């Protein structure tokens, strides 16, 4: 039986007396004028479909998994025979039996881990195909179920998924289905949201229908300007009915209010991202398993989505992809935590997710356990720039070639130390590979810095407990590269070669080519790698990334092709137009295509931070009351400012207020105060960028990119606030 949810101010209520579709039809047929009208036929159709699927799912018995006990007992018996001193044992036959039983056990465990259809949310899309005058209904979900008349298809399972992602409603298709050529048309193509067995939203070309207890039919309809996301119901900045906000002249707006000041729905759950993949994204996801895939796209274009769904797609055909040999490398802990939340929903549970710094540090400690574990946090930027320069890779290779030595870790360590402290070798390579980039003084300072650090390391390794030795974070990649040049392959935990089957590197523009080279050397011959990036969001100036062609050449991927995602789905047209203007001549792509419009980007000028906090306190309190599920990012240019603003807002006792440090985002509704660099790769319904002053955001490439990142985190609405002279980057923005 299909239930309907009441999302009003009161508790949820479930209708149980009559199936919703039948109840709606009865109401529509009654002559009583006071009876509520029935929902749109499209909604009734989807309610019928859900009721039918739910009824059929109830008839499917739970999957039974055979016991592992007999197999485990047989494996133990075979192990004892293999280890016994019996000279008459047939070693070959016993070994074969052992491997066969192990394979059966693995197969049994994979079957036990098979994803079952979630009855509370069985599918996210409805596809109705018409062929030879006959119609059939198919549904897309996280897993396939074709029992008892249920027709739910795993979104990764072509060709049905291809029809959904590549064709629109009313279009004709010609595809091979079930082993034969099939022709027909897409009679209906709808996205739905089902939670706890309740149909809450239907998105169709005919309109966007949302469950709403205040509507006469119980459903609210809005016209869809695009088949994509509409942007959410609380996207506008509106004037208060009474004019000015109390105590702050001219600041008469409130986030999240309707046109008449009414509260808007707090429902921020959007349809599953899987249902929103466009044909271009689907093509990238389904590329062949081996080789390189390089994805470029503006903020919000779905680079990360494509990369993660590609893993899920490959794992559908090769379950080994969902394992520790698949590595997702991201720029920040925050993005790592986000990916860790997303992958299980795609059916992936064993993929390793890490930042590059964490991965390289762990590997370096395993390969060089005698070196200090501690890393410096105050490494000068000029040291970082040289250590991450691609010329260092060349220097390490030349050192290994010209100096004879054993293929041992000790010699790799000597190679690293020599490159960092030999002024002649370093100067020659930098003059060749980076002419004019570093002065003689830069090199002298660099060599002196490393000699002092090496003296500290040597003293600590000799037992001097008074010396607090540490390595620069950049040394991890250099030491691993030295190992690869001198010793060979990196080693895993089992002392076997460290090999990866598939690697995803997100935000690749903020990794040094040398760092990426270390990862590439761990790939299998038939493995694949997915690189995703946007040079317009390049924040790590010392990484050495200059351009895509130079990057490909430096990492050994000459001739690699770039696939560009041209549609930005995250932010509104107004936000993206402003974000593009921020870049100026740094803008590299064609004009960004957006899918929806929204409120204007606005700049608020206040006298000081106290006034800013007072204004924000009122605004954000109203927003949290109207939209308890809203996600808000209050972004500052640095950590010190974030501390100041958080302390002020904390005194205002705002609900669900959090100060985010070290990327520890909970991914829950609320107000999160942090610096811009922490939110790269994430998104929020609302973004308030603070201290947008000329001192924090001057007209420099670095400042342009930083404010660009802040702006493009916003899904619905972007505000900026200045307590000094506004940044020259926001000239022309509507100011209040």
């Amino acid at each position: 039986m299909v239930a309907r949810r009441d999302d009003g101010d009161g508790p949820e209520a479930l209708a149980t007396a009559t199936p919703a579709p039948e109840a709606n039809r009865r109401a529509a047929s009654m002559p009583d004028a006071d009876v509520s009208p029935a929902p749109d036929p499209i909604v009734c159709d989807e309610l019928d479909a859900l009721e039918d699927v739910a009824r059929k799912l109830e008839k499917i018995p739970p999957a039974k998994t055979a016991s592992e006990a007999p197999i485990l007992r047989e494996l133990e018996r075979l192990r004892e025979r293999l280890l016994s001193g019996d000279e008459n044992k047939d070693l070959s036959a016993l070994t074969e039996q052992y491997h066969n039983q192990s394979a059966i056990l693995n197969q049994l465990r994979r079957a036990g881990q098979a994803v079952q259809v979630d009855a509370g949310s069985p599918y996210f899309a409805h596809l109705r195909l018409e062929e030879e005058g006959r119609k059939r209904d198919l549904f897309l979900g996280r897993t396939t179920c074709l029992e008892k008349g249920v027709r739910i298809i795993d979104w990764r399972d072509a060709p049905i998924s291809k029809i959904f992602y590549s064709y629109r409603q009313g279009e004709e298709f010609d595809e091979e289905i079930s082993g034969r050529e099939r022709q027909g048309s897409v009679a209906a193509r709808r996205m739905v949201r089902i939670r706890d067995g309740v149909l809450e939203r239907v998105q169709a070309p005919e309109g966007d229908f949302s469950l709403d207890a205040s509507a006469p039919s119980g459903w609210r309809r809005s016209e869809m300007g695009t088949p994509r996301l509409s942007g959410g119901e609380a996207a506008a900045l509106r004037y208060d009915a009474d004019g000015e906000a109390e105590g702050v002249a001219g600041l008469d707006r409130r986030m999240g209010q309707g046109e008449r000041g009414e509260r808007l729905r707090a429902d921020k759950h959007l349809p599953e991202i899987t249902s929103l993949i466009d044909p271009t994204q689907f093509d990238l996801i389904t590329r062949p398993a081996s080789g390189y895939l390089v994805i470029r796209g503006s903020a919000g274009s779905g680079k990360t989505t494509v990369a993660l769904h590609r893993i899920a797609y490959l794992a559908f055909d090769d379950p080994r992809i969902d394992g520790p040999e698949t590595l997702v490398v991201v720029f920040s802990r925050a993005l790592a935590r986000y990916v860790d939340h997303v992958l299980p929903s795609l059916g992936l549970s064993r993929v390793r997710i890490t930042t590059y710094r964490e991965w390289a540090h762990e590997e370096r400690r395993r390969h060089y356990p005698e070196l200090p574990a501690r890393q410096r946090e105050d490494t000068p930027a000029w040291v970082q720039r040289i250590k991450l320069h691609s010329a260092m890779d060349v220097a390490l290779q030349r050192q290994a070639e010209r100096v004879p030595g054993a293929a041992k870790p000790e010699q790799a360590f000597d190679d690293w130390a020599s490159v960092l402290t030999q002024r002649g070798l370093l100067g020659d390579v930098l003059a060749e590979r980076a002419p004019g980039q570093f002065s003689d003084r830069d090199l002298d300072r660099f060599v002196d810095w490393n000699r002092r650090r090496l003296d500290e390391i040597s003293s600590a390794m000799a037992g001097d407990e008074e010396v607090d030795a540490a390595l620069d974070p950049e040394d991890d990649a250099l030491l691993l590269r030295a190992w690869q040049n001198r010793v060979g392959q990196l080693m895993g935990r089992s002392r076997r070669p460290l090999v990866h089957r598939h690697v995803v590197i997100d935000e690749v523009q903020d990794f040094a080519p040398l760092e990426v080279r270390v990862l590439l050397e761990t790939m299998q011959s038939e493995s694949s790698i997915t690189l995703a990036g946007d040079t317009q969001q390049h924040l790590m100036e010392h990484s050495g990334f200059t351009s895509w062609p130079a990057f490909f050449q430096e990492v050994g991927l000459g001739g690699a092709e770039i696939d560009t995602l041209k549609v930005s789905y995250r932010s509104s047209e107004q936000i993206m137009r402003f974000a593009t203007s921020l870049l100026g001549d740094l803008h590299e792509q064609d004009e960004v295509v957006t899918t929806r419009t929204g409120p204007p980007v606005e700049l608020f000028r206040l006298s000081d931070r106290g006034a800013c906090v007072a204004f924000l306190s009122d605004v954000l309190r109203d927003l949290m009351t109207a939209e308890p599920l809203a996600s808000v990012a209050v972004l500052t240019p640095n950590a010190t400012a974030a501390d100041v603003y958080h302390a002020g807002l904390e005194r205002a006792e705002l609900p669900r207020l959090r100060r985010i440090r070290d990327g520890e985002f909970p991914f829950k509704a609320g107000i999160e105060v942090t610096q811009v660099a922490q939110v790269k790769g994430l998104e929020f319904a609302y973004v308030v960028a603070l201290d947008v002053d000329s001192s924090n955001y001057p007209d420099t490439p670095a400042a342009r990119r930083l404010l660009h990142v802040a702006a493009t985190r916003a899904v619905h609405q972007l505000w900026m606030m200045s307590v000094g002279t506004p940044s020259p980057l926001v000239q022309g923005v509507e100011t209040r």
Side-chain angles (χ1 to χ4, degrees), residues 23-46:
N24 290 329
R25 283 188 289 272
R26 287 181 190 176
S29 65
M30 291 181 179
D32 190 345
D34 295 329
V35 175
S36 300
D40 189 278
I42 290 175
V43 174
C44 291
D45 187 30
E46 290 304 322

Side-chain angles (χ1 to χ4, degrees), residues 15-283:
T16 58
T18 307
E22 182 63 27
N24 290 329
R25 283 188 289 272
R26 287 181 190 176
S29 65
M30 291 181 179
D32 190 345
D34 295 329
V35 175
S36 300
D40 189 278
I42 290 175
V43 174
C44 291
D45 187 30
E46 290 304 322
L47 288 168
D48 283 337
L50 177 57
E51 184 179 32
D52 182 62
V53 171
R55 184 173 59 254
K56 291 175 178 177
L57 286 175
E58 289 179 352
K59 298 178 180 179
I60 301 176
K64 295 182 179 180
T65 304
S67 173
E68 297 180 3
I71 303 174
L72 291 172
R73 286 196 296 269
E74 179 64 12
L75 283 171
E76 185 61 28
R77 186 188 69 81
L78 292 170
R79 187 182 295 109
E80 290 178 356
R81 287 290 312 278
L82 286 167
L83 298 175
S84 69
D86 185 2
E87 297 181 354
N88 297 320
K89 63 185 178 185
D90 189 338
L91 186 61
S92 177
L94 288 171
T95 302
E96 184 178 358
Q97 293 178 47
Y98 186 88
H99 288 317
N100 289 339
Q101 290 295 315
S102 297
I104 294 172
L105 179 63
N106 291 332
Q107 185 178 3
L108 182 63
R109 287 175 171 175
R110 284 197 299 269
Q113 295 170 356
V115 179
Q116 303 295 314
V117 174
D118 180 5
S121 183
Y123 55 88
F124 58 76
H126 178 192
L127 193 62
R128 180 170 292 152
L129 305 181
E130 184 171 358
E131 302 172 80
E132 300 177 351
R134 300 180 62 183
K135 295 180 180 180
R136 62 170 180 157
D137 291 295
L138 300 161
F139 306 90
L140 265 66
R142 294 191 184 97
T143 189
T144 295
C145 181
L146 300 173
E147 301 180 59
K148 304 294 184 180
V150 178
R151 293 181 176 178
I152 301 176
I153 309 296
D154 191 305
W155 69 270
R156 299 167 293 184
D157 193 5
I160 298 300
S161 59
K162 183 179 179 182
I163 293 177
F164 178 81
Y165 292 123
S166 301
Y167 298 87
R168 296 294 177 256
Q169 185 169 302
E171 293 183 348
E172 296 181 350
F173 66 86
D174 185 351
E175 299 287 343
E176 184 178 315
I177 302 176
S178 300
R180 66 185 181 91
E181 199 76 11
R182 304 281 285 272
Q183 297 179 342
S185 62
V186 179
R189 181 187 183 278
R190 302 166 187 164
M191 292 169 284
V192 299
R193 181 176 68 228
I194 304 168
R195 269 195 305 160
D196 301 330
V198 180
L199 180 67
E200 296 183 335
R201 189 172 184 181
V202 180
Q203 288 182 282
E206 296 85 353
D208 188 352
F209 306 88
S210 300
L211 195 62
D212 188 349
S214 65
S217 68
W219 287 82
R220 172 169 54 88
R221 173 175 178 169
S222 59
E223 296 298 325
M224 293 189 63
T226 170
R228 306 287 302 187
L229 294 176
S230 63
E233 49 276 334
L237 290 173
R238 306 294 185 187
Y239 285 98
D240 276 346
D242 299 331
E244 294 183 352
E246 184 178 355
V248 188
L251 303 181
D252 53 358
R253 299 170 177 237
R254 289 293 182 267
M255 285 181 147
Q257 286 187 332
E259 295 182 358
R260 298 175 298 279
E262 75 275 15
R263 285 177 55 183
L264 296 173
R265 289 166 53 96
D267 184 1
K268 300 303 254 188
H269 291 274
L270 299 176
E272 297 205 30
I273 190 65
T274 305
S275 69
L276 305 173
I277 295 170
D278 66 27
T280 301
Q281 294 170 334
F282 187 77
D283 175 65

Side-chain angles (χ1 to χ4, degrees), residues 631-677:
S631 60
V632 184
V634 178
L635 303 180
T636 64
N638 53 65
T640 301
D643 288 337
V644 171
Y645 281 107
H646 177 261
L649 295 173
E650 192 174 39
R651 286 190 289 272
E653 298 183 351
L654 291 176
R656 297 179 294 282
L657 177 70
R658 296 181 287 269
R659 171 72 171 98
I660 303 299
R661 298 178 176 85
D662 299 323
E664 296 297 323
F665 290 88
F667 299 103
K668 297 179 179 179
I671 306 164
E672 296 175 325
V673 183
T674 191
Q675 56 268 39
V676 177

Side-chain angles (χ1 to χ4, degrees), residues 536 578-588 704-705 708:
Q536 298 171 154
F578 167 70
T580 301
S581 72
L582 284 173
L583 295 172
D585 57 4
L586 299 176
H587 183 59
E588 297 180 351
R704 286 180 177 274
R705 291 190 178 107
H708 174 81

